[in-house]
Amino acid sequence: MKHRIVVLGAGYAGAYVAGNLARRLSSAEAEITVVNAEPDFVERLRLHQLAAGQEVEALRLADVFAGTGVRLRLARVTAVEPERQVVAVADGDGGGELGYDTLVHALGSHVADGGVPGVGEHAFDVAGRPSALRLRERLDNLGRRGEGGRVVVVGDGLTGIETATEIAESRPGLSVTLVARGELGAQLSAGARSHLRRACDRLGITVLEHTSVEAVEATRVLCADGTALASDATVWTAGFAVDPIAAASGLAVTENGRIVVDRTMRSVSHPNVYAAGDSAHAIGDNGRPLPMSCASAGHTGRQATNAIVGHLTGRAIANIKLSYPGNHISLGRRDGILQMVDDEARATPTYVAGRKAARIKAGILTLSLWGVTHPTFGLPKRRHRLAAAPDASVENRVAA
């Protein structure tokens, strides 16, 4: 029997891992299956643009993996049973179980409501393509009213800043308010913070700093200081969370459900399970956990791939650099900030802003998309055979 590798999730991390493993391992000895709930690759880094009204092409995963030998299973993961080495899935036909010998958990993250009442019922988000399209429809309806509308973006992280500036630039008829829990741009250097403030002023964005939200209602946002912000569309960007499937499976996880892995992205509790992207609690070279980001997805995905190939073929495992290069923030289509950070992930005085930063950010997005949609590009065509006894539990095999 072939060694069965199952990859959960086809985001930036999962698609990369699946494609690279397909090129590097012998197809005669290993089969690779990707499980994803949606048929399209979600370019998550551009969902705020999609919500604002711009066209962002949806790439079919079937096209992404065409010619790679990767099997695509369109289904929702409902459970992982590492002791039996099976994954339970649900689809239009009712679902079933997939058996695996090596599992890669890359299900990513979704928006977290932080326990704030009303977020799930009344707020929009840009964490997924369907939710971004719902926000887009709402903004379209506000525009058609011809009397403007009020948009409140809650959360001053990178997603919140990008969403607020994108909407304000693309839809100047709307009034945009950005609610910041602390100081706006606190993670940036003084110079970059000043540029961010000027950008918000230029775009007409009202910024409320040091403001906590206690509840979201259909037409307003309630703040801890008693302020009630009228809102025709509330966008929640105040944090992300991972799916509880990993914690429920018995894998070793952190308090927030991310899978605890070693330096090679291997689960510390189940050696035939790997994690990559937002699902992984990976410690960077600076001793700090890597943040949820596209850059981290790339680092952890490459490391997981190297480790799986090494373990299955008996080759040495190459460790890649695990670092966080900096913050890349778009401020609409013609402005941006690239903030450099030091080895402790703290902002340095060095930053790039304006049109140059916007062009660099656009280039980063293009390269990220190219890497995912051409998963085997540039890899050697020679595929490695598996070692005589790869570490799989043959007796626990379940037919896929």
Side-chain angles (χ1 to χ4, degrees):
M1 276 183 81
K2 293 182 180 181
H3 186 93
R4 299 160 304 166
I5 302 173
V6 174
V7 180
L8 306 183
Y12 290 101
Y16 176 90
V17 171
N20 276 256
L21 288 176
R23 175 57 66 91
R24 296 175 64 178
L25 296 175
S26 169
S27 59
E29 298 180 347
E31 69 176 27
I32 301 164
T33 301
V34 173
V35 183
N36 201 67
E38 302 294 333
D40 302 323
F41 171 73
V42 177
E43 199 176 354
R44 190 168 179 177
L45 294 178
R46 296 184 62 196
L47 288 180
H48 60 288
Q49 294 176 236
L50 179 66
Q54 298 160 36
E55 294 305 319
V56 178
E57 182 183 2
L59 299 173
R60 307 288 290 183
L61 288 171
D63 296 332
V64 170
F65 294 123
T68 65
V70 173
R71 300 167 58 191
L72 177 62
R73 177 71 181 271
L74 295 178
R76 180 173 57 87
V77 178
T78 58
V80 174
E81 298 184 39
E83 306 309 322
R84 294 178 55 220
Q85 294 184 196
V86 297
V87 175
V89 299
D91 57 21
D93 296 325
E97 290 185 340
L98 292 173
Y100 68 83
D101 301 308
T102 296
L103 181 70
V104 181
H105 193 295
L107 288 176
S109 60
H110 57 267
V111 70
D113 62 17
V116 176
V119 172
E121 296 84 358
H122 305 298
F124 297 88
D125 67 76
V126 291
R129 188 176 178 88
S131 58
L133 288 173
R134 284 194 295 272
L135 173 58
R136 177 176 178 150
E137 181 180 10
R138 177 60 174 162
L139 298 180
D140 286 343
N141 289 335
L142 293 178
R144 283 192 287 267
R145 292 192 325 188
E147 55 189 47
R150 297 155 297 188
V151 178
V152 176
V153 180
V154 181
D156 59 331
L158 305 189
T159 302
I161 292 171
E162 292 191 327
T163 301
T165 53
E166 201 75 49
I167 292 175
E169 180 182 87
S170 298
R171 300 174 183 266
L174 299 179
S175 171
V176 179
T177 298
L178 177 59
V179 179
R181 189 177 185 87
E183 179 185 6
L184 178 66
Q187 71 272 50
L188 304 174
S189 62
R193 284 199 302 274
S194 295
H195 183 87
L196 173 59
R197 290 179 182 278
R198 290 194 297 272
C200 289
D201 290 341
R202 171 176 56 81
L203 294 169
I205 298 172
T206 300
V207 178
L208 299 180
E209 297 180 290
H210 307 290
T211 302
S212 297
V213 172
E214 286 197 336
V216 175
E217 297 181 350
T219 59
R220 62 179 186 167
V221 174
L222 305 181
C223 303
D225 62 2
T227 302
L229 303 173
S231 177
D232 297 301
T234 300
V235 188
W236 191 265
T237 67
F240 296 90
V242 297
D243 197 286
I245 286 177
S249 72
L251 294 169
V253 299
T254 60
E255 289 184 359
N256 61 3
R258 300 175 78 185
I259 299 172
V260 181
V261 296
D262 63 16
R263 182 58 174 73
T264 69
M265 304 305 127
R266 202 177 199 183
S267 165
V268 298
S269 61
H270 294 77
N272 61 346
V273 176
Y274 297 79
D278 292 353
S279 300
H281 178 77
I283 304 301
D285 295 336
N286 61 2
R288 300 171 181 268
L290 292 177
M292 293 182 180
S293 69
C294 180
S296 297
H299 294 328
T300 56
R302 287 193 294 275
Q303 186 61 78
T305 301
N306 287 347
I308 293 169
V309 172
H311 285 299
L312 295 183
T313 65
R315 285 172 165 75
I317 298 173
N319 283 342
I320 69 165
K321 186 177 182 181
L322 298 179
S323 62
Y324 187 66
N327 296 315
H328 306 154
I329 312 169
S330 64
L331 305 173
R333 295 299 83 217
R334 297 178 296 277
D335 195 2
I337 297 172
L338 302 183
Q339 175 66 69
M340 305 300 113
V341 300
D342 60 20
D343 291 340
E344 298 300 316
R346 297 171 301 196
T348 69
T350 304
Y351 71 97
V352 179
R355 288 182 179 270
K356 182 178 181 180
R359 289 194 295 268
I360 295 174
K361 176 64 181 290
I364 291 172
L365 295 181
T366 299
L367 289 174
S368 298
L369 182 61
W370 173 266
V372 170
T373 57
H374 298 77
T376 63
F377 180 79
L379 292 178
K381 293 184 178 180
R382 180 183 177 186
R383 300 186 181 185
H384 303 307
R385 296 182 65 85
L386 273 59
D391 51 5
S393 180
V394 177
E395 63 272 19
N396 286 336
R397 289 182 182 273
V398 174

